[in-house]
């Protein structure tokens, strides 16, 4: 059966439902499901939290009338294997739905088309590709982690209109307004980790916790600190009981007195071998965070060197730039990204694709995706 405008309407509703799981379901994907009979909504549900029932059984259990011979709209191919919950294909088959419209197939190895085959084997009509692009955008981090083994990296900064994140003295409080800062706290409250460099950590004496917002998950604080300069008296160490703290250091710092002091305070240390240029291997770090910490989303809040190294190694996926109506006009002020490169032409720079622009009082939040090179 071809995809109709009516199918798009119901799938868009399922996609909106799915987004409610953001910050709760990772490392699982966000999934929504609506069940329709005689063009009327009879049930709906979404994956609410990791380890709990998925969208399909939630929607079936919420049905006002029998779902037999109804159509189910699901934003991702239903699972067909036993994990933390039973297969969603079994739930749909038992419910007796006659058609399942799916936004996109799931590349997860234990599903990967097997869900579609299982449903069709039981006589259910299956249509795939309704609002597929929207479904892919919804689960960009999940898809990247699954296909590359790397987490989704959000590079975030606040800047003046003329492109600076701080004065030449390092003064940056406050470039952005209260609404923008509130939005950043909301971001922290849904990601797996918040990352900064040691210079920023010391200059701001940051805590990097989510404050005055509903917290969906506790983000691990990560500091790139090659020589373990972070004082044990810093706010990051003082708030170790509020959120985990990882310091990423050079392997030559292992077993030093400072390392032992930090470990005694509850700080986790990750040691990396420097690259040929002397910088820590951030690609290796990100792979470890996926493998050993099951991380999907990492918010990087600076500074310019950390942003620069991530961009230089093509590790950034998304940019959130909070642009404030302020001008510094100072050529010695600090820019948000420092790759260490000396470029001769504009064409040598990186290209970003604007996904969305949101006004936050007088500030403007620009949401970009990094174009692959």
């Amino acid at each position: 059966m071809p995809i109709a405008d009516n199918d798009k309407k119901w799938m868009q509703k399922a996609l909106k439902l799915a987004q409610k799981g953001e910050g709760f379901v990772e490392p699982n994907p966000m999934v929504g499901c609506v069940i329709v009979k005689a063009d009327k909504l009879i049930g709906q549900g979404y994956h609410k939290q990791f380890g709990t029932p998925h969208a399909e059984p939630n929607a079936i259990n919420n049905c006002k009338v029998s779902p037999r011979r109804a159509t189910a709209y699901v934003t991702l191919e239903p699972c067909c294997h036993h994990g933390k919950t039973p297969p969603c294909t079994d739930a749909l088959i038992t419910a007796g739905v006659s058609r399942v419209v799916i936004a996109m197939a799931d590349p997860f190895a234990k599903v990967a088309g097997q869900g579609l085959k299982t449903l069709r084997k039981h006589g259910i009509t299956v249509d795939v590709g309704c609002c597929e692009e929207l479904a892919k955008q919804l689960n960009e981090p999940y898809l990247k982690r699954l296909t590359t083994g790397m987490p989704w990296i959000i590079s975030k900064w606040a800047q003046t209109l003329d492109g600076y994140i701080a004065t030449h003295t390092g003064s940056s409080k406050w470039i952005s307004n209260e609404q923008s800062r509130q939005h950043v706290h909301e971001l922290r409250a849904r990601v797996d980790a918040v990352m900064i460099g040691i210079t920023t950590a010391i200059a701001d004496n940051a805590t990097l916790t989510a404050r005055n917002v509903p917290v969906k998950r506790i983000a691990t604080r990560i500091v790139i600190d090659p020589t373990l300069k972070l004082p044990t008296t810093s706010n990051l160490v003082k708030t170790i009981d509020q959120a985990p703290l990882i310091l990423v250091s050079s392997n030559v710092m292992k077993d030093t007195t400072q390392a032992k002091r930090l470990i005694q305070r509850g700080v986790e240390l990750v040691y990396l071998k420097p690259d040929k240029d002397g910088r820590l291997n951030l690609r290796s770090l990100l792979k470890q965070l996926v493998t050993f910490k099951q991380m999907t989303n990492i918010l990087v809040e600076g500074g310019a060197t950390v942003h620069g190294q991530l961009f230089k190694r093509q590790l950034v996926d998304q940019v959130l730039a909070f642009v404030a109506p302020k001008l510094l006009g100072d050529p010695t002020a600090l820019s948000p990204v420092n790759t260490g490169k000396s470029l001769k032409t504009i064409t040598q720079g990186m290209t970003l694709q604007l996904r969305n622009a949101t006004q936050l009082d007088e500030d403007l939040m620009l949401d970009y995706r990094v174009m692959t090179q």
Side-chain angles (χ1 to χ4, degrees), residues 125-373:
T125 300
V126 178
D127 294 304
V128 185
C130 180
C131 302
E132 183 176 15
E133 193 55 38
L134 291 175
K136 287 180 177 179
Q137 289 178 15
L138 175 72
N139 278 311
E140 287 171 316
Y142 166 76
L143 294 173
K144 185 195 177 187
R145 182 179 59 80
L146 203 61
T147 56
T148 69
M150 298 288 281
W152 184 262
I153 301 300
I154 307 167
S155 197
K156 165 263 164 186
W157 62 76
Q159 67 173 66
T160 61
L161 187 58
D162 51 349
Y164 298 114
I165 60 170
T167 67
H168 70 277
T169 65
S171 173
S172 62
K173 293 186 178 180
W174 292 105
I175 288 176
S176 58
N177 64 29
E178 188 173 342
Q179 278 192 36
S180 293
R181 298 196 298 273
Q182 177 79 2
H183 191 83
V184 172
H185 282 284
E186 291 171 2
L187 286 169
R188 290 177 182 174
R190 68 165 179 81
V191 296
D192 294 305
V194 180
M195 181 187 295
I196 60 173
I198 183 59
T199 301
T200 302
I202 292 174
D204 294 351
N205 196 20
T207 59
L208 300 181
T209 54
R211 299 183 293 279
N212 302 317
V213 295
V215 177
K216 299 177 180 180
R217 65 202 304 111
I218 303 295
T220 298
R221 287 91 49 86
I222 301 174
V223 181
I224 309 302
D225 187 3
T227 56
L228 294 182
K229 292 180 181 178
L230 187 73
T232 54
T233 55
S234 68
N235 284 336
L236 284 164
V237 177
K238 286 180 179 178
T239 55
I240 198 79
D241 59 326
Q242 297 179 29
L245 175 61
I246 295 176
L247 296 190
V248 183
S249 178
S250 169
N251 54 5
V252 300
M253 297 303 297
K254 195 172 184 178
D255 297 326
T256 61
T257 301
Q258 177 66 350
K260 292 175 182 177
R261 286 197 191 110
L262 290 162
I263 292 170
Q264 288 174 352
R265 296 295 185 95
V267 179
E268 181 178 351
L269 299 185
V270 172
Y271 301 102
L272 297 177
K273 183 179 179 181
D275 286 333
K276 292 179 181 178
D277 62 1
R279 302 283 185 180
L280 296 184
N281 190 328
L282 296 184
R283 184 178 294 275
S284 172
L285 169 66
L286 298 182
K287 284 186 177 180
Q288 289 184 49
L289 293 175
V290 169
T291 303
F292 300 111
K293 302 290 185 179
Q294 294 293 297
M295 290 189 180
T296 301
N297 303 274
I298 297 177
L299 177 65
V300 182
E301 296 199 29
T305 300
V306 172
H307 285 310
Q309 291 304 307
L310 290 168
F311 274 108
K312 185 177 180 180
R313 287 159 174 75
Q314 298 182 12
L315 298 173
V316 179
D317 302 287
Q318 180 179 4
V319 171
L320 289 178
F322 294 81
V323 182
K326 294 180 173 71
L327 294 171
L328 290 184
D330 180 358
T332 64
L334 305 180
S335 297
V337 179
N338 178 11
T339 63
K341 293 182 179 180
S342 179
L343 306 183
K344 294 181 179 180
T345 65
I346 291 295
T347 56
Q348 292 177 292
M350 297 179 190
T351 301
L352 307 181
Q353 184 181 65
L354 183 64
R355 180 66 62 81
N356 197 16
T358 305
Q359 188 166 347
L360 299 168
D361 197 2
E362 294 299 313
D363 287 358
L364 189 63
M365 182 183 74
L366 301 176
D367 182 359
Y368 292 97
R369 295 299 179 275
V370 180
M371 304 296 288
T372 55
Q373 301 296 310

Side-chain angles (χ1 to χ4, degrees), residues 12-23:
Q12 286 169 357
K13 183 171 183 62
L15 287 164
K16 286 183 179 179
L17 274 173
Q19 196 161 16
K20 291 184 177 182
E22 185 177 51

